[in-house]
Amino acid sequence: LSYSVPTSYQAQYSDAARRKNRAKNIALSNARPVLSSTCLAHTSAVICGIDIHEASELKGLGAFATRFIKHGTYLGDYSGESMTLNEVRARFWNKRDPDAADLAWQASRQARNQGISGSYVFELQDGTFVCAEDGELSTWTRFMNHASSDYPECNVRPFHQSEKDGDVHR
């Protein structure tokens, strides 16, 4: 199961849970992600003619087109680390105590200066989750942001893609 690029969709969990845990998670990952020239987010951006750089001091990194993109162009998949509900509950929502695997995951993210805020976690229709916060495991689309409503031509629209019996359906 795969999805195209969402612009501002957030995972379907309560706003109260998100607010409660966001401050703790941001404190644990207060540095912006470091993207090596060989990480998936960077290499996929270069291939697509996208530059990832700081959008502003307050907003962090963003994706910027380096060439004209024709209306209706398929931009890419929002991809990242696949997670179960159980993992998301421990790693982002504080709904269960973390086990050894969760603690190792957190240590790995921190050692590589990758975030653990949960801001890039999306639930799929089958109940699994995609976390695109780690630049080593996600594509450039994780850095897409919306444009002002004054510029509707600059905003993208998501569409659903599924796979059945090896065939891709968009």
Side-chain angles (χ1 to χ4, degrees):
L1 184 63
S2 177
Y3 285 83
S4 69
V5 183
T7 54
S8 60
Y9 172 79
Q10 289 291 314
Q12 297 297 315
Y13 58 95
S14 80
D15 286 338
R18 184 179 298 121
R19 281 191 304 272
K20 179 180 176 185
N21 296 309
R22 187 173 177 90
K24 178 193 89 82
N25 290 337
I26 289 173
L28 290 172
S29 60
N30 59 5
R32 293 208 168 100
V34 174
L35 299 180
S36 73
S37 62
T38 59
C39 76
L40 181 57
H42 177 76
T43 57
S44 64
V46 170
I47 290 167
C48 294
I50 301 295
D51 183 38
I52 299 170
H53 61 265
E54 189 172 284
S56 74
E57 285 187 34
L58 297 175
K59 298 291 183 181
L61 300 175
F64 297 86
T66 60
R67 61 181 183 241
F68 176 78
I69 299 174
K70 183 180 173 187
H71 176 79
T73 300
Y74 173 76
L75 298 174
D77 290 336
Y78 188 91
S79 64
E81 183 178 3
S82 181
M83 292 186 179
T84 65
L85 174 60
N86 198 37
E87 290 168 330
V88 170
R89 287 173 53 89
R91 296 174 184 182
F92 301 114
W93 298 347
N94 297 321
K95 296 291 184 178
R96 76 162 173 80
D97 290 333
D99 60 21
D102 299 319
L103 296 173
W105 172 88
Q106 183 180 38
S108 170
R109 287 271 183 108
Q110 289 173 324
R112 295 178 297 109
N113 198 24
Q114 299 297 313
I116 55 171
S117 71
S119 295
Y120 300 91
V121 175
F122 298 97
E123 184 176 11
L124 304 178
Q125 288 179 336
D126 66 359
T128 61
F129 294 79
V130 172
C131 177
E133 195 159 6
D134 188 332
E136 298 289 330
L137 303 173
S138 64
T139 57
W140 72 269
T141 56
R142 166 258 197 264
F143 294 98
M144 288 185 71
N145 293 299
H146 67 283
S148 162
S149 60
D150 295 338
Y151 301 97
E153 69 278 4
C154 293
N155 283 307
V156 298
R157 298 188 197 285
F159 71 92
H160 176 81
Q161 172 182 303
S162 63
E163 189 173 318
K164 182 176 181 181
D165 299 327
D167 295 326
V168 175
H169 303 275
R170 294 185 182 169

